[in-house]
Amino acid sequence: MKILTLVRQVPDAEARVKVAGAAVDLDGATLVIDGMDEYGVEEALRLRETGGAAVEVIVLAVGPKRNEDALRTALAMGADRAIHVETDQRLDALALSRVAAQVAQTEGAELILVGGQEADWDSQALGAATAERLGWPQLTWVNELKIEGGQLSGRHDVDEGNESFVAPLPAVVTTQQGLNEPRYPTLPNIMKAKKKELRKESLDSYGVKAGVQFVSAEIQSRARLNRMIDGKDPQAAAQELLGLLQNEAKVLK
């Protein structure tokens, strides 16, 4: 059995980023595997550990050369091999789903794991679009997953709480926080990862072009008001602060 897990490389949550021209400038920023995708890598490894040597974990990234770092991290966590479709073109979720679907078919994958919501897109479309292209069932926001007797079982979140499910393979699963706790790569595994297969491919071979063109980007910011409040009369100061929060900052109603 082959499990395909997709990873995105995004700025660390604590990293400071800036806009240069029409795009976010990532030069010098600390980049990591998207947190939601990291849960997918970890879950694929756990399924392999419970399923035996017959399970192979393949990691896929689509993006610029720097994505190699994310793939090497996934390999150091324990993935068997990686595929990097290298491109500087920014793909929307629908375009990326075409690549993911073609790779899954070529590799003969029976399970695709993808983050429930990408940090850089703030989008939940990738899993659904990939499942639709393949005609596979999709399980979203999964917080427990097992493979038994050639089918998936587990639990996932719904508006009313959570529910148990059973679904046939092949399938697409979107992952989230709470599914597991991703492992840290050990030094021996980091060294082993350098010898594992990381196959390079061109986006041109997939015949994919972005349907959405990104025109510009901006970082939301709010100027400081720098208002000083006289604190000699605490009651009057509290009333003045409340008025500023309601009428000027507009953070209270």
Side-chain angles (χ1 to χ4, degrees):
M1 177 182 178
K2 295 181 180 180
I3 301 176
L4 179 67
T5 178
L6 279 66
V7 297
R8 299 273 297 171
Q9 189 184 50
V10 299
D12 185 272
E14 302 299 324
R16 290 185 175 273
V17 296
K18 58 184 179 179
V19 172
V24 175
D25 184 5
L26 297 179
D27 288 343
T30 302
L31 302 175
V32 297
I33 297 178
D34 188 296
M36 292 282 192
D37 293 335
E38 193 173 14
Y39 295 120
V41 175
E42 176 62 30
E43 193 62 21
L45 299 176
R46 295 190 182 200
L47 291 172
R48 185 187 63 190
E49 289 166 357
T50 58
V55 177
E56 182 183 26
V57 177
I58 306 167
V59 186
L60 169 66
V62 181
K65 182 176 176 57
R66 64 173 179 267
N67 278 251
E68 288 182 19
D69 294 336
L71 290 172
R72 289 295 180 193
T73 299
L75 291 171
M77 290 174 66
D80 296 296
R81 56 190 176 93
I83 301 171
H84 183 196
V85 180
E86 189 170 342
T87 177
D88 290 326
Q89 185 181 170
R90 186 177 178 184
L91 299 181
D92 58 274
L94 293 181
L96 183 54
S97 71
R98 291 186 61 188
V99 179
Q102 289 182 57
V103 171
Q105 290 176 320
T106 301
E107 293 292 336
E110 295 182 63
L111 177 62
I112 297 176
L113 297 174
V114 57
Q117 184 165 335
E118 268 59 38
D120 54 348
W121 292 333
D122 199 27
S123 168
Q124 303 175 17
L126 181 56
T130 304
E132 176 65 21
R133 292 191 186 281
L134 292 167
W136 294 1
Q138 178 198 201
L139 290 313
T140 59
W141 301 109
V142 169
N143 48 40
E144 183 180 304
L145 192 64
K146 295 179 182 179
I147 299 178
E148 298 174 327
Q151 65 180 9
L152 288 173
S153 63
R155 293 185 302 112
H156 67 158
D157 289 340
V158 294
D159 290 341
E160 295 79 15
N162 64 75
E163 61 185 15
S164 299
F165 64 80
V166 175
L169 291 170
V172 176
V173 169
T174 66
T175 56
Q176 64 165 326
Q177 184 177 10
L179 174 60
N180 54 52
E181 187 63 36
R183 68 195 70 188
Y184 289 100
T186 62
L187 181 57
N189 285 339
I190 292 174
M191 301 305 294
K192 290 178 183 177
K194 296 180 180 180
K195 299 181 180 180
K196 291 182 178 180
E197 178 187 346
L198 195 164
R199 189 171 82 237
K200 291 278 191 175
E201 295 187 353
S202 170
L203 183 64
D204 294 338
S205 63
Y206 291 90
V208 173
K209 292 184 179 180
V212 176
Q213 300 297 321
F214 295 91
V215 177
S216 63
E218 63 182 35
I219 296 177
Q220 185 177 13
S221 62
R222 183 186 294 270
R224 294 180 179 273
L225 297 177
N226 294 321
R227 290 292 189 90
M228 301 296 292
I229 298 176
D230 187 350
K232 292 181 180 180
D233 183 343
Q235 186 173 2
Q239 289 295 325
E240 184 179 354
L241 175 60
L242 180 61
L244 290 172
L245 293 174
Q246 288 176 328
N247 302 321
E248 294 197 25
K250 299 188 184 301
V251 295
L252 295 177
K253 294 182 179 181

